[in-house]
Amino acid sequence: MGIKTIKNRYFLNVKFLLWLYLFLSTSVAVHKFLTHKLANYMTFSTSFWNMFSGVNPYYQVLEYKYSPAFCMFMAPMAVLPDWLGSIIWNAINTLILYFGVTKLKLDNNKKAFILWFVIFEYMTSIQNLQSNVMMTGLMLLAFALFEDEKTFWASFVVVALFFTKIFGAGIGLIFLFYPKKTKFVMYSVFWTAVLILVPLAIVPWDFFVVLYKSWLAVITTDFSATLGVSVMGILNLIVPVSRASIQFCGLFLLLLPLAINFKKFSDYKYRLLYVASILIWVIIFNHKAESPTFIIAVTGVALWYSVSELTPFNRVLVLLVFVFTTLSPTDLFPKIIFRWVNYNIVKALPCILVWIKIQYDL
C-alpha cells in the first residue's frame, strides 16, 4: 500500500475519522469507568435522579449550572448502568461534533484537517466527560442549518445550547446574516417555552417553580471571582482588571464587522470566518473558561485556518495553537515551561492572537 493510498484511505477519509473518534470516545469512557473516574458524568446523571426524586439538584451538586431541561436530556442515559450510560454520553458528544464539522460546505480534505487538528483537544475534553464537545458540534450545526434555511431547527439548536451552557447560544448572533429574522425570534420563543416546560413531565408544578428559581439564582450569581483561562486571566497577571469591562470590549470587537463590513457577509467564506471568531470569542472572553472548554476555541482556529490564505504568518499562528494550546495539557508538553510561564498564558494566548488576526481579516 503506497503512501498516497494510506493518505487518502485514512488521513483524508472523514468516514475513517468517524470510527476513530468513536473508538477513542468508547475507550475513554470504559477507562474512566474502570478507574472510578466518572465524576462529571455522575453529576449529570445524578441531577436527573435528584429531580425525579424531588431533590433539588442545585443544592446537592456544587456549582451545577445546567438547566432543568438538561437534567431531562440525561434521563435516557441515567436509567442505564453507569458504564453503558457513560459510553453513550461520550458517543453522543462525538457524533454531534463529527456531524457539525461534516455539515460544513467544505471539501473533505478541509473537514479531515479540522478533525485531525482538534483531536488532542477533543481527547482533553472527552476525558472529562463534559458537554464541551457536544457544544462545539451544536454551534457548527446551528450555522449549517441557517445556511440550509432551516430556521425552525436552527432556532431549536440555539435554544438547546442556551439550556446546556448559556454562552453557546452566542452562535445565534449569526441570525442577522439570514432572511426570516422575525421567524427565528418567534421559533426561539416557541422552543424556549417547550424546553422550559419539559421537566413538568416528571415533577409537580411547585417543585418545577423551585427548580427554575434555583437555576436562575445559580446563573445570575455566576459572575464570581474567577477569571478563567481567558483574556481577563492573562491581563490580571499584569494588573487587576474589570471582568465586565474586558468582556464588553471583546463584545464590541466581535460586533464591529457587522457594523462596518455587513455587505461582505454575502460571501460564505466571510461567514465561516465570523463563525470561527464566535467559537474562539465565547472561550477567550469567558470568565469560567478552563482547559476542557478549549475544544470550542481550537475548532474555531481550525475553521479559520481551513479557509484562510496559507501565509507564513498564519502558519506560525496555527502552529502556536497546536503546540501550546492543544498539547499543553498532555504528557507530550514539557511541564518545565510552567515554571517560567503561567499556564493561562500558555493555553489561551495563541487563541487570542488568532482571534485578533480573524478580526483584522474580517
Side-chain angles (χ1 to χ4, degrees):
M1 186 182 296
I3 294 177
K4 186 176 181 180
T5 302
I6 294 174
K7 179 181 176 181
N8 291 331
R9 183 173 294 182
Y10 299 109
F11 288 97
L12 299 180
N13 187 338
V14 292
K15 291 183 179 179
F16 165 76
L17 284 166
L18 170 61
W19 293 111
L20 174 61
Y21 266 66
L22 286 173
F23 170 76
L24 293 173
S25 75
T26 302
S27 300
V28 166
V30 171
H31 176 260
K32 291 295 181 180
F33 173 76
L34 294 176
T35 54
H36 308 287
K37 294 179 180 179
L38 292 177
N40 286 319
Y41 170 76
M42 294 305 297
T43 296
F44 299 147
S45 61
T46 301
S47 70
F48 166 74
W49 286 117
N50 282 336
M51 192 169 72
F52 182 78
S53 304
V55 177
N56 192 334
Y58 302 98
Y59 294 160
Q60 296 297 311
V61 182
L62 183 64
E63 292 193 340
Y64 184 75
K65 298 179 180 66
Y66 293 79
S67 71
F70 181 83
C71 297
M72 291 293 292
F73 170 72
M74 292 301 301
M77 287 154 280
V79 299
L80 298 173
D82 293 337
W83 67 269
L84 181 57
S86 60
I87 289 174
I88 294 174
W89 168 244
N90 264 7
I92 289 173
N93 274 262
T94 299
L95 288 170
I96 292 176
L97 173 64
Y98 175 82
F99 286 117
V101 172
T102 55
K103 288 295 182 182
L104 297 173
K105 295 175 183 177
L106 299 171
D107 63 53
N108 283 344
N109 288 359
K110 291 181 178 179
K111 292 174 184 177
F113 165 75
I114 294 171
L115 290 168
W116 279 115
F117 187 80
V118 305
I119 197 164
F120 283 103
E121 204 65 58
Y122 161 82
M123 287 295 293
T124 297
S125 188
I126 213 76
Q127 284 177 355
N128 286 272
L129 291 98
Q130 293 186 4
S131 61
N132 301 300
V133 171
M134 179 176 68
M135 293 280 294
T136 309
L138 286 175
M139 294 175 80
L140 294 176
L141 279 174
F143 171 64
L145 288 166
F146 274 118
E147 287 291 319
D148 292 338
E149 298 185 9
K150 296 179 180 178
T151 310
F152 183 73
W153 293 112
S155 64
F156 168 73
V157 173
V158 172
V159 172
L161 281 161
F162 178 85
F163 280 90
T164 305
K165 286 186 176 180
I166 292 174
F167 65 79
I171 195 66
L173 183 64
I174 63 175
F175 90 98
L176 295 170
F177 306 165
Y178 303 96
K180 302 180 182 178
K181 296 178 180 59
T182 302
K183 284 190 175 182
F184 171 77
V185 174
M186 293 173 60
Y187 291 151
S188 296
V189 171
F190 167 75
W191 283 119
T192 300
V194 169
L195 293 185
I196 285 176
L197 294 174
V198 161
L200 282 174
I202 65 168
V203 303
W205 176 258
D206 290 347
F207 187 47
F208 171 84
V209 173
V210 169
L211 285 171
Y212 274 98
K213 283 184 177 179
S214 300
W215 181 52
L216 186 61
V218 167
I219 61 178
T220 53
T221 58
D222 184 47
F223 209 60
S224 59
T226 61
L227 294 172
V229 186
S230 64
V231 173
M232 298 81 70
I234 292 176
L235 292 178
N236 194 62
L237 297 172
I238 304 169
V239 62
V241 297
S242 164
R243 292 185 298 278
S245 297
I246 300 301
Q247 289 173 330
F248 177 80
C249 289
L251 179 61
F252 173 79
L253 292 173
L254 178 70
L255 297 176
L256 194 58
L258 293 174
I260 64 177
N261 267 336
F262 193 78
K263 291 183 178 179
K264 289 188 177 181
F265 284 95
S266 60
D267 178 59
Y268 182 71
K269 175 184 172 181
Y270 199 83
R271 296 196 297 276
L272 277 175
L273 282 177
Y274 199 75
V275 169
S277 176
I278 292 176
L279 289 171
I280 301 172
W281 174 80
V282 298
I283 300 303
I284 63 173
F285 288 98
N286 189 334
H287 62 285
K288 287 291 187 179
E290 56 184 350
S291 183
T293 64
F294 269 77
I295 177 64
I296 300 173
V298 171
T299 301
V301 172
L303 183 57
W304 157 74
Y305 190 72
S306 68
V307 297
S308 297
E309 294 182 17
L310 301 183
T311 64
F313 185 64
N314 286 351
R315 292 177 190 273
V316 169
L317 284 178
V318 81
L319 183 61
L320 288 174
V321 170
F322 183 76
V323 172
F324 292 97
T325 300
T326 299
L327 295 184
S328 58
T330 74
D331 293 334
L332 298 175
F333 191 81
K335 300 301 188 243
I336 193 172
I337 291 177
F338 297 133
R339 293 184 182 181
W340 300 290
V341 185
N342 183 276
Y343 178 78
N344 285 3
I345 296 175
V346 172
K347 184 74 179 179
L349 185 57
C351 288
I352 294 170
L353 295 176
V354 169
W355 187 76
I356 293 171
K357 178 59 166 59
I358 293 174
Q359 294 309 108
Y360 173 79
D361 291 342
L362 288 170

